[in-house]
Tab-separated table of all heavy atoms in Angstrom:
chain	number	residue	atom	x	y	z
M	992	GLU	N	15.219	80.890	-113.900
M	992	GLU	CA	14.137	80.874	-112.941
M	992	GLU	C	12.883	80.283	-113.561
M	992	GLU	O	12.154	79.502	-112.944
M	992	GLU	CB	13.834	82.224	-112.513
M	992	GLU	CG	14.960	82.776	-111.459
M	992	GLU	CD	14.910	84.264	-111.215
M	992	GLU	OE1	14.266	85.028	-112.107
M	992	GLU	OE2	15.367	84.709	-110.142
M	993	MET	N	12.608	80.616	-114.925
M	993	MET	CA	11.420	80.088	-115.563
M	993	MET	C	11.628	78.640	-115.862
M	993	MET	O	10.653	77.816	-115.764
M	993	MET	CB	11.297	80.762	-116.888
M	993	MET	CG	9.915	80.517	-117.682
M	993	MET	SD	8.538	81.253	-116.804
M	993	MET	CE	8.634	83.000	-117.174
M	994	LYS	N	12.882	78.227	-116.207
M	994	LYS	CA	13.115	76.783	-116.431
M	994	LYS	C	12.781	75.990	-115.232
M	994	LYS	O	12.323	74.777	-115.331
M	994	LYS	CB	14.552	76.627	-116.985
M	994	LYS	CG	14.858	75.175	-117.293
M	994	LYS	CD	14.156	74.781	-118.572
M	994	LYS	CE	14.675	73.449	-119.245
M	994	LYS	NZ	14.585	72.283	-118.428
M	995	ALA	N	13.088	76.532	-114.094
M	995	ALA	CA	12.837	75.643	-112.758
M	995	ALA	C	11.354	75.457	-112.640
M	995	ALA	O	10.894	74.386	-112.217
M	995	ALA	CB	13.454	76.387	-111.637
M	996	LEU	N	10.636	76.448	-113.066
M	996	LEU	CA	9.132	76.318	-113.047
M	996	LEU	C	8.594	75.348	-114.093
M	996	LEU	O	7.792	74.431	-113.854
M	996	LEU	CB	8.472	77.601	-113.044
M	996	LEU	CG	8.721	78.756	-112.013
M	996	LEU	CD1	8.033	80.004	-112.245
M	996	LEU	CD2	8.329	78.076	-110.701
M	997	THR	N	9.230	75.487	-115.213
M	997	THR	CA	8.671	74.632	-116.391
M	997	THR	C	8.990	73.098	-116.021
M	997	THR	O	8.312	72.208	-116.521
M	997	THR	CB	9.109	75.056	-117.708
M	997	THR	OG1	10.563	75.056	-117.803
M	997	THR	CG2	8.618	76.529	-117.964
M	998	ASP	N	10.150	72.926	-115.410
M	998	ASP	CA	10.587	71.590	-115.143
M	998	ASP	C	9.448	70.899	-114.237
M	998	ASP	O	9.207	69.751	-114.251
M	998	ASP	CB	11.866	71.533	-114.425
M	998	ASP	CG	13.048	71.722	-115.394
M	998	ASP	OD1	12.821	71.717	-116.568
M	998	ASP	OD2	14.138	71.966	-114.868
M	999	VAL	N	8.944	71.682	-113.271
M	999	VAL	CA	7.937	71.182	-112.330
M	999	VAL	C	6.591	70.910	-113.231
M	999	VAL	O	5.981	69.775	-113.111
M	999	VAL	CB	7.595	72.146	-111.308
M	999	VAL	CG1	6.377	71.735	-110.445
M	999	VAL	CG2	8.789	72.354	-110.309
M	1000	LEU	N	6.293	71.830	-114.075
M	1000	LEU	CA	5.126	71.640	-114.831
M	1000	LEU	C	5.034	70.508	-115.850
M	1000	LEU	O	3.999	69.840	-116.084
M	1000	LEU	CB	4.775	72.930	-115.585
M	1000	LEU	CG	4.421	74.179	-114.727
M	1000	LEU	CD1	4.676	75.504	-115.618
M	1000	LEU	CD2	3.056	74.021	-114.203
M	1001	LEU	N	6.294	70.082	-116.310
M	1001	LEU	CA	6.388	68.916	-117.140
M	1001	LEU	C	5.897	67.671	-116.406
M	1001	LEU	O	5.388	66.683	-116.997
M	1001	LEU	CB	7.834	68.750	-117.520
M	1001	LEU	CG	8.329	69.751	-118.686
M	1001	LEU	CD1	9.795	69.509	-118.913
M	1001	LEU	CD2	7.580	69.420	-120.050
M	1002	LYS	N	6.028	67.726	-115.157
M	1002	LYS	CA	5.628	66.425	-114.358
M	1002	LYS	C	4.034	66.398	-114.080
M	1002	LYS	O	3.584	65.331	-113.509
M	1002	LYS	CB	6.308	66.487	-112.951
M	1002	LYS	CG	7.875	66.333	-113.090
M	1002	LYS	CD	8.588	66.098	-111.813
M	1002	LYS	CE	8.497	67.504	-110.896
M	1002	LYS	NZ	9.306	67.368	-109.671
M	1003	HIS	N	3.392	67.378	-114.461
M	1003	HIS	CA	1.908	67.407	-114.190
M	1003	HIS	C	1.175	67.787	-115.461
M	1003	HIS	O	0.744	68.997	-115.498
M	1003	HIS	CB	1.648	68.525	-113.059
M	1003	HIS	CG	2.451	68.282	-111.818
M	1003	HIS	ND1	1.971	67.361	-110.820
M	1003	HIS	CD2	3.617	68.621	-111.312
M	1003	HIS	CE1	2.771	67.307	-109.833
M	1003	HIS	NE2	3.917	68.027	-110.034
M	1004	PRO	N	0.984	66.917	-116.306
M	1004	PRO	CA	0.421	67.090	-117.624
M	1004	PRO	C	-1.050	67.719	-117.627
M	1004	PRO	O	-1.593	68.177	-118.630
M	1004	PRO	CB	0.402	65.798	-118.381
M	1004	PRO	CG	0.570	64.820	-117.267
M	1004	PRO	CD	1.294	65.534	-116.204
M	1005	HIS	N	-1.790	67.751	-116.362
M	1005	HIS	CA	-3.164	68.259	-116.475
M	1005	HIS	C	-3.138	69.735	-116.183
M	1005	HIS	O	-4.231	70.353	-116.134
M	1005	HIS	CB	-3.849	67.494	-115.269
M	1005	HIS	CG	-3.355	67.814	-113.949
M	1005	HIS	ND1	-2.261	67.343	-113.503
M	1005	HIS	CD2	-3.953	68.375	-112.850
M	1005	HIS	CE1	-2.064	67.760	-112.212
M	1005	HIS	NE2	-3.112	68.338	-111.814
M	1006	VAL	N	-2.023	70.327	-115.851
M	1006	VAL	CA	-1.913	71.795	-115.458
M	1006	VAL	C	-1.625	72.641	-116.751
M	1006	VAL	O	-0.595	72.363	-117.489
M	1006	VAL	CB	-0.884	72.054	-114.459
M	1006	VAL	CG1	-0.820	73.532	-114.069
M	1006	VAL	CG2	-1.165	71.142	-113.162
M	1007	TRP	N	-2.473	73.502	-116.997
M	1007	TRP	CA	-2.242	74.505	-118.131
M	1007	TRP	C	-1.590	75.870	-117.539
M	1007	TRP	O	-1.719	76.129	-116.410
M	1007	TRP	CB	-3.601	74.899	-118.697
M	1007	TRP	CG	-4.068	73.872	-119.700
M	1007	TRP	CD1	-4.469	72.515	-119.494
M	1007	TRP	CD2	-4.297	74.021	-121.130
M	1007	TRP	NE1	-4.766	71.876	-120.596
M	1007	TRP	CE2	-4.715	72.825	-121.682
M	1007	TRP	CE3	-4.090	75.172	-121.979
M	1007	TRP	CZ2	-4.932	72.645	-123.013
M	1007	TRP	CZ3	-4.350	74.922	-123.331
M	1007	TRP	CH2	-4.807	73.693	-123.808
M	1008	ILE	N	-0.933	76.408	-118.416
M	1008	ILE	CA	-0.249	77.721	-118.110
M	1008	ILE	C	-0.835	78.856	-118.803
M	1008	ILE	O	-0.977	78.873	-120.103
M	1008	ILE	CB	1.341	77.604	-118.393
M	1008	ILE	CG1	1.964	76.357	-117.762
M	1008	ILE	CG2	2.026	78.837	-118.051
M	1008	ILE	CD1	2.026	75.072	-118.634
M	1009	MET	N	-1.203	79.854	-118.013
M	1009	MET	CA	-1.546	81.167	-118.721
M	1009	MET	C	-0.466	82.098	-118.416
M	1009	MET	O	-0.175	82.551	-117.261
M	1009	MET	CB	-2.938	81.727	-117.958
M	1009	MET	CG	-3.201	82.992	-118.550
M	1009	MET	SD	-4.762	83.632	-117.933
M	1009	MET	CE	-5.934	82.657	-118.832
M	1010	SER	N	0.219	82.441	-119.461
M	1010	SER	CA	1.419	83.399	-119.373
M	1010	SER	C	0.996	84.785	-119.757
M	1010	SER	O	0.653	85.067	-120.966
M	1010	SER	CB	2.604	82.843	-120.289
M	1010	SER	OG	3.664	83.662	-120.111
M	1011	ASP	N	0.964	85.698	-118.754
M	1011	ASP	CA	0.509	87.088	-118.993
M	1011	ASP	C	1.794	87.889	-119.259
M	1011	ASP	O	2.571	88.264	-118.287
M	1011	ASP	CB	-0.280	87.608	-117.878
M	1011	ASP	CG	-0.762	89.043	-118.057
M	1011	ASP	OD1	-0.297	89.676	-119.020
M	1011	ASP	OD2	-1.486	89.482	-117.222
M	1012	ASP	N	2.038	88.185	-120.588
M	1012	ASP	CA	3.316	88.861	-121.012
M	1012	ASP	C	3.121	90.271	-121.304
M	1012	ASP	O	3.864	90.878	-122.033
M	1012	ASP	CB	3.923	88.148	-122.164
M	1012	ASP	CG	4.290	86.665	-121.869
M	1012	ASP	OD1	4.107	86.149	-120.798
M	1012	ASP	OD2	4.592	85.984	-122.904
M	1013	MET	N	2.046	90.910	-120.717
M	1013	MET	CA	1.637	92.286	-121.063
M	1013	MET	C	2.836	93.331	-120.890
M	1013	MET	O	2.859	94.243	-121.696
M	1013	MET	CB	0.412	92.699	-120.308
M	1013	MET	CG	-0.162	93.874	-120.865
M	1013	MET	SD	-0.970	93.773	-122.372
M	1013	MET	CE	-2.363	92.820	-122.089
M	1014	TYR	N	3.737	93.107	-120.045
M	1014	TYR	CA	4.838	94.019	-119.865
M	1014	TYR	C	6.152	93.566	-120.410
M	1014	TYR	O	7.257	94.099	-120.039
M	1014	TYR	CB	4.971	94.277	-118.252
M	1014	TYR	CG	3.762	94.896	-117.672
M	1014	TYR	CD1	2.779	94.105	-117.159
M	1014	TYR	CD2	3.593	96.334	-117.651
M	1014	TYR	CE1	1.647	94.685	-116.618
M	1014	TYR	CE2	2.500	96.909	-117.122
M	1014	TYR	CZ	1.456	96.043	-116.577
M	1014	TYR	OH	0.348	96.551	-115.982
M	1015	GLU	N	6.070	92.728	-121.417
M	1015	GLU	CA	7.268	92.110	-121.920
M	1015	GLU	C	8.318	93.101	-122.535
M	1015	GLU	O	9.585	92.861	-122.085
M	1015	GLU	CB	6.849	91.336	-123.306
M	1015	GLU	CG	8.007	90.814	-124.129
M	1015	GLU	CD	7.512	90.162	-125.394
M	1015	GLU	OE1	6.269	90.140	-125.746
M	1015	GLU	OE2	8.326	89.623	-126.181
M	1016	HIS	N	8.017	94.187	-123.045
M	1016	HIS	CA	9.043	95.103	-123.532
M	1016	HIS	C	9.515	96.206	-122.566
M	1016	HIS	O	10.395	97.038	-122.794
M	1016	HIS	CB	8.394	95.946	-124.750
M	1016	HIS	CG	8.206	95.055	-125.916
M	1016	HIS	ND1	9.247	94.375	-126.583
M	1016	HIS	CD2	6.967	94.617	-126.496
M	1016	HIS	CE1	8.756	93.744	-127.597
M	1016	HIS	NE2	7.342	93.791	-127.463
M	1017	LEU	N	8.940	96.046	-121.369
M	1017	LEU	CA	9.440	97.031	-120.312
M	1017	LEU	C	10.225	96.306	-119.212
M	1017	LEU	O	9.788	95.961	-118.098
M	1017	LEU	CB	8.145	97.670	-119.541
M	1017	LEU	CG	7.233	98.347	-120.650
M	1017	LEU	CD1	6.014	98.980	-119.908
M	1017	LEU	CD2	7.960	99.402	-121.297
M	1018	VAL	N	11.564	96.074	-119.657
M	1018	VAL	CA	12.478	95.383	-118.750
M	1018	VAL	C	13.751	96.233	-118.701
M	1018	VAL	O	14.008	96.856	-119.809
M	1018	VAL	CB	12.795	93.939	-119.158
M	1018	VAL	CG1	11.500	93.093	-118.863
M	1018	VAL	CG2	13.198	93.778	-120.620
M	1019	TYR	N	14.523	96.123	-117.637
M	1019	TYR	CA	15.690	97.175	-117.559
M	1019	TYR	C	16.948	96.351	-117.186
M	1019	TYR	O	16.820	95.208	-116.829
M	1019	TYR	CB	15.163	98.139	-116.493
M	1019	TYR	CG	13.900	98.679	-116.732
M	1019	TYR	CD1	12.835	98.363	-115.793
M	1019	TYR	CD2	13.467	99.329	-117.889
M	1019	TYR	CE1	11.513	98.851	-115.926
M	1019	TYR	CE2	12.215	99.867	-118.081
M	1019	TYR	CZ	11.262	99.427	-117.076
M	1019	TYR	OH	9.895	99.887	-117.278
M	1020	ASP	N	17.934	97.193	-117.310
M	1020	ASP	CA	19.363	96.665	-116.751
M	1020	ASP	C	19.721	95.419	-117.570
M	1020	ASP	O	20.235	94.546	-116.940
M	1020	ASP	CB	19.374	96.468	-115.380
M	1020	ASP	CG	18.780	97.567	-114.472
M	1020	ASP	OD1	19.302	98.709	-114.884
M	1020	ASP	OD2	18.106	97.437	-113.583
M	1021	ASP	N	19.519	95.414	-118.874
M	1021	ASP	CA	19.945	94.285	-119.761
M	1021	ASP	C	19.169	92.958	-119.450
M	1021	ASP	O	19.689	91.939	-119.805
M	1021	ASP	CB	21.419	94.089	-119.714
M	1021	ASP	CG	22.221	95.392	-120.273
M	1021	ASP	OD1	21.640	95.855	-121.204
M	1021	ASP	OD2	23.176	95.632	-119.500
M	1022	PHE	N	18.181	93.092	-118.625
M	1022	PHE	CA	17.383	91.809	-118.347
M	1022	PHE	C	16.711	91.397	-119.713
M	1022	PHE	O	16.305	91.994	-120.589
M	1022	PHE	CB	16.107	92.131	-117.396
M	1022	PHE	CG	15.433	90.871	-116.916
M	1022	PHE	CD1	15.836	90.259	-115.777
M	1022	PHE	CD2	14.273	90.589	-117.683
M	1022	PHE	CE1	15.088	89.208	-115.407
M	1022	PHE	CE2	13.590	89.404	-117.307
M	1022	PHE	CZ	13.958	88.691	-116.207
M	1023	LYS	N	16.822	89.988	-119.752
M	1023	LYS	CA	16.325	89.290	-121.016
M	1023	LYS	C	14.922	88.684	-120.845
M	1023	LYS	O	14.918	87.671	-119.927
M	1023	LYS	CB	17.275	88.258	-121.488
M	1023	LYS	CG	18.680	88.782	-121.896
M	1023	LYS	CD	18.612	89.776	-122.962
M	1023	LYS	CE	20.031	90.407	-123.283
M	1023	LYS	NZ	19.982	91.390	-124.397
M	1024	PHE	N	13.894	89.040	-121.402
M	1024	PHE	CA	12.552	88.556	-121.216
M	1024	PHE	C	12.528	87.122	-121.883
M	1024	PHE	O	13.128	86.864	-122.818
M	1024	PHE	CB	11.531	89.450	-121.937
M	1024	PHE	CG	10.144	88.856	-121.859
M	1024	PHE	CD1	9.265	88.976	-120.766
M	1024	PHE	CD2	9.620	88.170	-123.051
M	1024	PHE	CE1	8.043	88.411	-120.798
M	1024	PHE	CE2	8.429	87.566	-123.005
M	1024	PHE	CZ	7.641	87.665	-121.879
């Protein structure tokens, strides 16, 4: 799902990404952050 978004962003070099990862360690059911 993230790769689908980053593929779009690669086409628009003027757009910056702010990634708010504050809840990184709070994932469940074997989800991979």
Side-chain angles (χ1 to χ4, degrees):
E992 290 168 335
M993 189 70 77
K994 185 65 167 62
L996 298 178
T997 60
D998 284 349
V999 172
L1000 294 164
L1001 284 174
K1002 297 187 288 183
H1003 301 278
H1005 67 292
V1006 179
W1007 280 63
I1008 305 95
M1009 177 178 287
S1010 183
D1011 182 348
D1012 300 351
M1013 192 63 73
Y1014 297 90
E1015 170 183 5
H1016 293 294
L1017 301 178
V1018 292
Y1019 317 115
D1020 304 320
D1021 298 321
F1022 185 90
K1023 302 298 183 185
F1024 172 84

